[in-house]
Every structure is written in C-alpha cells, then in structure tokens.
Amino acid sequence: MSLLNHDCQPNCVMMFEGKRLMLRAVRVIRSAEELTISYTDILAPSKDRRSQLQEQYHFRCECKRCSTEDKDCEMLSGEKSAWTSIKDSIHHLEQLQSEQHWDELLKESQALLHRYSDVVPDRNIYMLRLLDLAMDACISLDDYETALEYGNRALGPYKLYYSDPHPSRAVELLRVGKLQHFLGRLEEARGSFTQAYGIMTVTHGVAHALTNQVQRRLSECQAELNAV
C-alpha cells in the first residue's frame, strides 16, 4: 500500500475491514493504468492541496485537477469577504465541536449562516463545512428537523465534489437518511439509503459492517413503507 502514488481524483480508495486494509477501485481502471489514492482531503482548492502536499510529502502535485484548477471557482464561490469570515471562524467552531459545547456551536454557526447565506452559496467549501458543523450541533441537541435542513443543503455540494463513489458522500447520505427515517419521511429515507448503499458497495464492499448497516436500514424502511 505504501507504494501507491497520489492523485486528487484517484481511481482507488483505501478502506479498513477490521484490522485488514483493503484497496478498492472506485471506477473502471484501464489496462496498465496506475493505481492511485488521495493523500489529502480533496475538498479543498488546488492551491491548498498543493501546499499541504508540498509541506507534508515534499512534492508538487501536477495531477489534472490541480493543473486545471478544477472546481476551484465553485469551492470559492460567493462574496470573498463573506466566505473569508466563515473560513476564519472554522477553527474556533471545530474547537467547540471537539469540546462538545453544542449550544455555543449551534448559536455561532447559525449566526454565520443567517448572516452570509444570501451571499455565499452552499457549494462554497467553507459554507459547506459550516453546514456540517451546524448539523452535528443540531443532532446532539435533538433538533432533528433543523439538522435535516442543513443535511439536505449539503447533499448537492457533496455530489458535486465527490463525483466518483466516495466514502464521505456515502456517510453524508447515511446521516441524512437516518434523520429522514426518524422523522417518518420514509420515501426520502429510502432514496438516501439506496444511494448510500450503492456507493458503499463500491467504496466499502458488500461485506463491510457499515454497508450491512445501510442495507438493514434500507430493509427496515422498505418494510415500514409496505405496512402503510
């Protein structure tokens, strides 16, 4: 596994099954095509990805995504002064999250959302991170309706940035599906669980515990729909 090179749009992901590390293809791989993984979070603009890779791994990434600055405009869309303010707040908000100060986290996250949602779209990566933090706070405070609102807003950007099957998008769909299921929105939950399962069969494999959890959720949801 240590021989695998980096690409910002890799054709493989690494996944643990218990203590066993698995390499899984996320798209069709051509004959003699190099197997690649991502060393860094791909949910970042090319300049930040290159900087982190240079600092940590001592190479300049020349992959297609970095060379063409693919999706950078979408990631940094909106009014710059507004999303810069959100960006500067993320570290503090993540500290509140790690310390489980949920009331403070929700209050400060919602203040930023109310202030900047009109000028910074959800596809901006800092707005997207803000939505995830607000969603976590709402779940921890049992405000599931608002958590679902934020989760639904995040799904579009996740689909945009994780166009190939990716564990992060699958987990986000699972989180949204759980909220929909709990709130009795069975048709919506079935759709979310179905999408999550489809991705996880590729990224995790059908035998993985998380894939099995999604399959059970999907079966429960279908049984409840049949009983209506």
Side-chain angles (χ1 to χ4, degrees):
M1 294 294 190
S2 64
L3 298 177
L4 291 161
N5 281 325
H6 164 84
D7 195 289
C8 290
Q9 192 166 4
N11 54 26
C12 297
V13 294
M14 291 200 298
M15 188 64 54
F16 275 99
E17 291 184 13
K19 295 182 179 180
R20 191 180 185 193
L21 183 60
M22 305 292 292
L23 183 69
R24 301 194 59 85
V26 295
R27 62 175 184 267
V28 175
I29 297 174
R30 301 184 306 274
S31 176
E33 179 182 356
E34 182 181 13
L35 304 180
T36 58
I37 58 172
S38 179
Y39 293 0
T40 186
D41 184 4
I42 62 173
L43 198 60
S46 55
K47 181 180 178 181
D48 292 354
R49 296 196 307 272
R50 277 178 159 172
S51 177
Q52 182 182 354
L53 291 166
Q54 184 69 56
E55 181 178 346
Q56 188 170 353
Y57 297 100
H58 312 292
F59 71 88
R60 176 180 170 82
C61 185
E62 298 292 351
C63 77
K64 183 177 179 181
R65 283 200 64 203
C66 284
S67 300
T68 62
E69 299 182 349
D70 178 53
K71 294 188 173 68
D72 282 9
C73 289
E74 289 91 346
M75 289 185 176
L76 302 178
S77 56
E79 189 177 292
K80 185 174 181 179
S81 61
W83 61 252
T84 299
S85 180
I86 298 173
K87 177 184 178 181
D88 292 342
S89 302
I90 295 296
H91 178 74
H92 168 65
L93 296 174
E94 289 177 337
Q95 189 68 31
L96 292 176
Q97 180 192 43
S98 68
E99 296 171 358
Q100 299 185 10
H101 295 321
W102 302 118
D103 287 299
E104 292 177 59
L105 174 58
L106 183 58
K107 181 180 178 181
E108 295 188 29
S109 297
Q110 287 184 327
L112 289 166
L113 286 167
H114 293 153
R115 189 179 309 151
Y116 295 126
S117 285
D118 289 341
V119 293
V120 180
D122 294 340
R123 66 181 179 275
N124 179 285
I125 57 171
Y126 305 114
M127 178 62 80
L128 181 57
R129 180 61 183 140
L130 185 60
L131 287 168
D132 277 338
L133 289 164
M135 182 183 180
D136 283 351
C138 287
I139 291 171
S140 297
L141 295 169
D142 300 331
D143 184 358
Y144 301 122
E145 287 281 0
T146 308
L148 179 56
E149 175 191 337
Y150 295 146
N152 278 328
R153 286 175 61 178
L155 287 180
Y158 268 85
K159 184 177 181 179
L160 172 65
Y161 298 127
Y162 297 115
S163 53
D164 289 324
H166 194 281
S168 293
R169 184 175 172 228
V171 170
E172 189 74 3
L173 283 161
L174 175 58
R175 295 204 319 153
V176 168
K178 286 180 178 179
L179 290 167
Q180 292 165 334
H181 194 188
F182 180 82
L183 294 169
R185 302 181 186 183
L186 299 179
E187 288 284 0
E188 295 175 24
R190 178 171 63 179
S192 297
F193 290 143
T194 299
Q195 290 183 73
Y197 182 75
I199 294 170
M200 285 186 182
T201 57
V202 176
T203 59
H204 293 66
V206 294
H208 195 278
L210 196 56
T211 311
N212 290 331
Q213 180 192 143
V214 178
Q215 187 176 37
R216 286 193 300 271
R217 292 273 186 173
L218 183 56
S219 298
E220 291 168 9
C221 192
Q222 187 62 60
E224 291 175 40
L225 280 166
N226 292 339
V228 173

